[in-house]
Amino acid sequence: MARSFAPDLCIATGVDTGNGRGGCVYAGPNAPVFDGEVCWNGDVATVKGTAPCVDGSRVYFLRNGEVVDPDLNIVAAYAVVPDACKFMSCVPSSFESQGLPDDLACCGDNGCVPSVGGSCPEGEPTWCTQLEKTDDGLICHQD
C-alpha cells in the first residue's frame, strides 16, 4: 500500500490509558504491523477498505495493529513503545517468570517503575516483558 496522507491514528487521537479516550493502546516493539488506513468513530477502529468512512467516522493511517474481529473488521490499534531493557538491566526468562504479564513500565533518570493506571506520570513509556513487581520497583525478563 502506498503511504497514506491521512493523519496517524495514535498521534491524532492519543493513547487510551483506561479513560476511554484515544484510539490506540500501548504495545511492545514486536507489535503486529498493520500499515494501512482505518476508520475511527471515536470508539472503534475498523478496516477502511475502498469505500469512504461512514457514520461520522474519519480516516486515519495506522502503522501497528491487527484485525481482532474479522466479521466486523474491528482493528486493535497499537502505539509502539521501546523495550524497557534498553533502559534497565533485564533478567533472563525462566520457568517461574512464564505467565507474568507484559505491561507498560515508566523509565527515567531514576530507573524504571510500573505504570500508574496505564500511563506514566514520570518517565517515558516503555514495554516490560514479563513484568514482575518487587519491593524495589520492577524486574523485566527477556529471552
Side-chain angles (χ1 to χ4, degrees):
M1 173 180 197
R3 175 70 171 122
S4 172
F5 292 101
D8 184 284
L9 178 69
C10 296
I11 294 172
T13 66
V15 176
D16 183 355
T17 58
N19 59 9
R21 294 186 215 130
C24 298
V25 294
Y26 286 120
N30 295 326
V33 175
F34 184 80
D35 229 5
E37 291 181 333
V38 296
C39 295
W40 172 250
N41 67 5
D43 187 42
V44 174
T46 55
V47 177
K48 181 181 177 299
T50 56
C53 296
V54 296
D55 298 328
S57 295
R58 294 187 55 195
V59 64
Y60 290 95
F61 177 76
L62 179 62
R63 170 82 176 114
N64 293 90
E66 62 187 321
V67 176
V68 293
D69 185 334
D71 294 331
L72 298 175
N73 284 328
I74 295 175
V75 176
Y78 304 126
V80 174
V81 294
D83 190 334
C85 296
K86 291 184 177 187
F87 302 91
M88 64 181 284
S89 295
C90 291
V91 299
S93 293
S94 66
F95 180 76
E96 291 80 23
S97 68
Q98 299 302 315
L100 291 171
D102 297 347
D103 205 351
L104 189 66
C106 307
C107 296
D109 295 337
N110 297 324
C112 298
V113 297
S115 66
V116 178
S119 63
C120 291
E122 295 182 30
E124 296 298 317
T126 64
W127 197 251
C128 179
T129 302
Q130 298 171 342
L131 186 145
E132 182 178 351
K133 294 179 183 178
T134 68
D135 292 337
D136 298 325
L138 63 83
I139 297 172
C140 297
H141 297 83
Q142 64 184 10
D143 292 325

